[in-house]
Amino acid sequence: MVSQWVIDELETVDLGDKRRNERLAEVLSAMAGLPSKSIPAAVGAGHNETTAAYRLFDNDAICFEDILAPHIDACYKRLAEQEVVILAHDTTELDLTKPNTQVEGAGPLDGSSRYGELLHPLMAFTPTGTPLGTVAAELWTREEGPSKADDRKKVPIEEKESLRWLENHREAQLIASEHPETQVVCVADSEADIFEVIECNSDSPKNFWWIIRSCYDRSIVDQHGRPSGNLHEKLAASKVRYTKAITIRPHKPKLACDKRARNQPREARQCELEVRATTLTLKNPYRPDRHLRPTKVNAIWAHEIDPPEGDTPISWLLLTNMPISNKEEIELVLSYYCIRWLIEVFFRTLKSGTRIEAKRFEKIERFERCLAVSMILAWRTFYSVRIGRECPDVSCEAVFVADEWQPVYKIVTGEDPPKKPPTLKEIVRMIARLGGYIDRPRHDEPGTDTVMRGMERLYDISSCWRSFGPNATRSGE
């Protein structure tokens, strides 16, 4: 049985054959029930079902983009309904390293010790953090061979991996031009601090804003183009707009070899930030193949006052074209930038929730088709979690059909389901309890991991409810 949300999400699917379209819907619906399991376990372990799923992933007539296309179309529809949309993009490694034979077509991730592929999606979020889906995605593998780091300054951006930042930024601008009623805000981490990316915003639509975390202490010029110091110097000399107290969460670096200041370990603590903001013009760097223009930007620097001895101070330096004339406008920039972190939650859901890296495929093309399905599944779980926070009082049937929420309610509460559906927040928390979440007062809201584990149990529970529950049709009746 194909879930209603799958039918809605794949409304525009076109894989060149009606049977392929139907098979994709069946596979997506089945894997939604058991996203972390192997493909045979997810689709029912029957020979015919398993063969049909693998035929879909082995079909050279379709590709990653074909499978993801209807989800992108559905995301555009959700995006068009919003007044403001945050478009966040980032890169993640997909580690497909196997102990013996490697996946055919996979490339090196770090030297030659690990093999896999890199994924760079552009994801849409509401200002409160609800994911609307993926609007663009790039996949690539690196080639074997020595690094060309010494020649990087001479290589045009079109021949570098960093081109992905420019292409996704332009894609965000195109989305803004196609949706003039929606304010589009493109946010990126410090890897996107590339002058070509910053300069391309000069010709942006009026409803397009951008925020990039600064990585380089760039040179500044005055209104006549004369050298006028550097970025950090100018911000340090500007006046403090306001101070704010924040709570810092503990942090452990993912890699022991990562020496960047912002990735060093730290303990949880309270701290106070000075927030400065000013407008300045970045000097255009030299490029052998093109002429770049000096670019005017607004800059915000939130810097910790008196950090504990031995701890790296909290420091955010953001470049943007958003207005910064008062505290409220500056706070808006900071709040929009914070949404960027949620793409990391999506990556975690994709990897730990759907266990995409553990799926067994001999060729990279087969893996990519399965990856597109898994990205839709990861979005669906993430969406269910966040929409329950953003719209806690709406009916749960905005996301879950009766055959899904009713058995969950019965099992978790021990009572018969009410005639009036519970709120979305209530059901999401019940599903999370099936996945190990402890529901108690003043406890954090459930995360994607516990909800995804609960969703796996929901699949089996709802199947039994349809077959044996109070509304099941008995044979002979």
Side-chain angles (χ1 to χ4, degrees), residues 277-314:
T278 189
T279 301
L280 36 78
T281 301
L282 303 180
K283 182 180 183 299
N284 52 315
Y286 168 75
R287 295 286 189 267
D289 63 323
R290 72 197 69 196
H291 176 71
L292 300 174
R293 298 166 293 178
T295 302
K296 188 176 181 180
V297 299
N298 293 329
I300 299 173
W301 187 30
H303 186 73
E304 184 177 3
I305 306 171
D306 297 326
E309 185 177 353
D311 276 11
T312 302
I314 300 302

Side-chain angles (χ1 to χ4, degrees), residues 9-15 24 28 56-57 62-76 78 119-123 132-139 346 350 368-379:
E9 198 67 15
L10 300 183
E11 181 181 2
T12 63
V13 64
D14 183 10
L15 301 183
L24 174 60
L28 178 59
L56 176 70
F57 298 136
I62 59 178
C63 61
F64 169 83
E65 291 80 6
D66 296 331
I67 294 175
L68 201 60
H71 169 67
I72 292 176
D73 291 340
C75 182
Y76 280 148
R78 290 185 284 268
L119 169 67
H120 189 97
L122 179 66
M123 291 197 66
L132 303 176
T134 301
V135 292
E138 293 188 43
L139 275 173
F346 172 76
L350 177 65
E368 291 174 350
R369 297 177 191 114
C370 186
L371 171 63
V373 171
S374 296
M375 287 175 65
I376 300 174
L377 298 180
W379 161 78

Side-chain angles (χ1 to χ4, degrees), residues 139-197:
L139 275 173
W140 75 97
T141 56
R142 292 179 178 140
E143 297 181 0
E144 298 273 8
S147 171
K148 298 180 180 179
D150 293 341
D151 299 323
R152 286 187 59 79
K153 291 185 178 180
K154 300 178 182 179
V155 177
I157 190 171
E158 288 79 10
E159 298 178 20
K160 298 178 182 178
E161 280 189 9
S162 52
L163 176 64
R164 67 192 187 274
W165 297 101
L166 180 59
E167 289 181 335
N168 268 359
H169 217 78
R170 287 172 173 165
E171 181 67 25
Q173 292 173 329
L174 178 62
I175 291 170
S177 65
E178 293 175 346
H179 298 83
E181 301 302 317
T182 299
Q183 182 67 54
V184 173
V185 187
C186 187
V187 244
D189 207 355
S190 54
E191 275 195 81
D193 186 9
I194 303 165
F195 202 87
E196 282 85 345
V197 177

Side-chain angles (χ1 to χ4, degrees), residues 455-470:
M455 295 277 273
E456 290 194 351
R457 293 194 61 194
L458 178 149
Y459 174 79
D460 291 332
I461 292 167
S462 62
S463 296
C464 292
W465 185 265
R466 283 192 291 268
S467 299
F468 307 111

